[in-house]
């Protein structure tokens, strides 16, 4: 369906929760190292992902260059960020799109977002909050992508 990309995730419970969501939506989960924790097999990841983790289509990459080597960058790669005014519901998502999310403590690096500025999207907030939890952000944007393409997946 879609490709969820986590760039250098820091919190294993978030990765597990996002993995569970990816499984429920039939999405692929791409994890780009380094992580802010040990291995992806840690119990915190498995606990949040429950028994779905073992059926999830998940891929690991040593760095962003390896990821792009295997998944060439094009205009179907979207970057979730607080550093744009383009709201996610104005983006036109298609099946197999890549939706990136950055580190919980820093977001995506500018060097990545500069690769496709037109693909940068944000989740609007109506007060001075800096950001949302990454698992919530993935849920919001991934389900909007599904909403836009739901008839293809019924």
């Amino acid at each position: 369906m879609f490709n969820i990309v986590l760039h250098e995730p820091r919190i294993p419970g978030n990765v597990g929760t996002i993995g569970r969501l990816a499984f429920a939506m039939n999405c692929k989960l791409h994890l780009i190292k380094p992580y802010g924790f040990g291995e992806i097999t840690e119990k915190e990841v498995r606990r949040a992902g429950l028994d779905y983790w073992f059926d999830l289509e998940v891929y690991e990459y040593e760095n962003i260059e390896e990821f792009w080597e295997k998944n060439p960058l094009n205009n179907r790669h979207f970057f979730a960020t607080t550093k744009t005014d383009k709201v996610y519901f104005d983006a036109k998502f298609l099946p197999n799109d890549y939706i990136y999310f950055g580190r919980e403590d820093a977001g995506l690096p500018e060097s990545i977002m500069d690769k496709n500025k037109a693909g940068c999207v944000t989740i609007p907030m109506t007060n001075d909050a800096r950001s949302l939890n990454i698992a919530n952000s993935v849920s919001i944007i991934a389900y909007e992508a599904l909403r836009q393409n739901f008839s293809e997946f019924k």
Side-chain angles (χ1 to χ4, degrees):
M1 180 175 295
F2 302 102
N3 293 279
I4 297 170
V5 182
L6 302 183
H7 183 260
E8 300 181 2
R10 295 301 193 234
I11 302 172
N14 284 337
V15 174
T17 299
I18 294 165
R20 186 174 175 181
L21 172 89
F23 176 78
M25 291 184 64
N26 198 30
C27 292
K28 295 176 185 173
L29 180 60
H30 303 269
L31 304 173
I32 301 171
K33 295 177 182 179
Y35 306 140
F37 50 91
E39 293 300 315
I40 203 65
T41 55
E42 285 192 15
K43 68 179 180 179
E44 291 88 355
V45 175
R46 290 191 318 269
R47 181 174 50 223
L50 295 175
D51 55 338
Y52 302 109
W53 188 260
F54 300 103
D55 294 319
L56 173 65
E57 195 170 347
V58 61
Y59 302 92
E60 294 183 84
Y61 306 88
E62 292 301 315
N63 52 49
I64 192 71
E65 290 79 17
E66 180 186 357
F67 175 76
W68 284 335
E69 185 178 303
K70 295 178 179 173
N71 305 279
L73 187 61
N74 60 36
N75 68 343
R76 302 315 313 166
H77 291 236
F78 293 88
F79 307 123
T81 179
T82 58
K83 299 175 179 81
T84 186
D85 292 328
K86 181 179 179 182
V87 292
Y88 72 95
F89 43 79
D90 285 343
K92 303 300 180 215
F93 297 104
L94 297 173
N96 301 311
D97 279 353
Y98 292 82
I99 307 169
Y100 295 59
F101 299 85
R103 289 172 40 166
E104 292 93 335
D105 62 343
L108 288 167
E110 294 282 339
S111 60
I112 290 177
M113 294 184 294
D114 285 346
K115 302 288 186 187
N116 182 20
K117 286 190 180 218
C120 291
V121 296
T122 193
I123 299 168
M125 292 176 271
T126 58
N127 66 19
D128 294 331
R130 285 188 319 277
S131 63
L132 298 172
N133 173 275
I134 188 173
N136 291 336
S137 297
V138 172
S139 298
I140 290 167
I141 296 176
Y143 270 98
E144 172 61 16
L146 175 61
R147 185 197 65 79
Q148 290 180 17
N149 295 277
F150 190 64
S151 62
E152 293 193 34
F153 298 106
K154 288 198 241 178

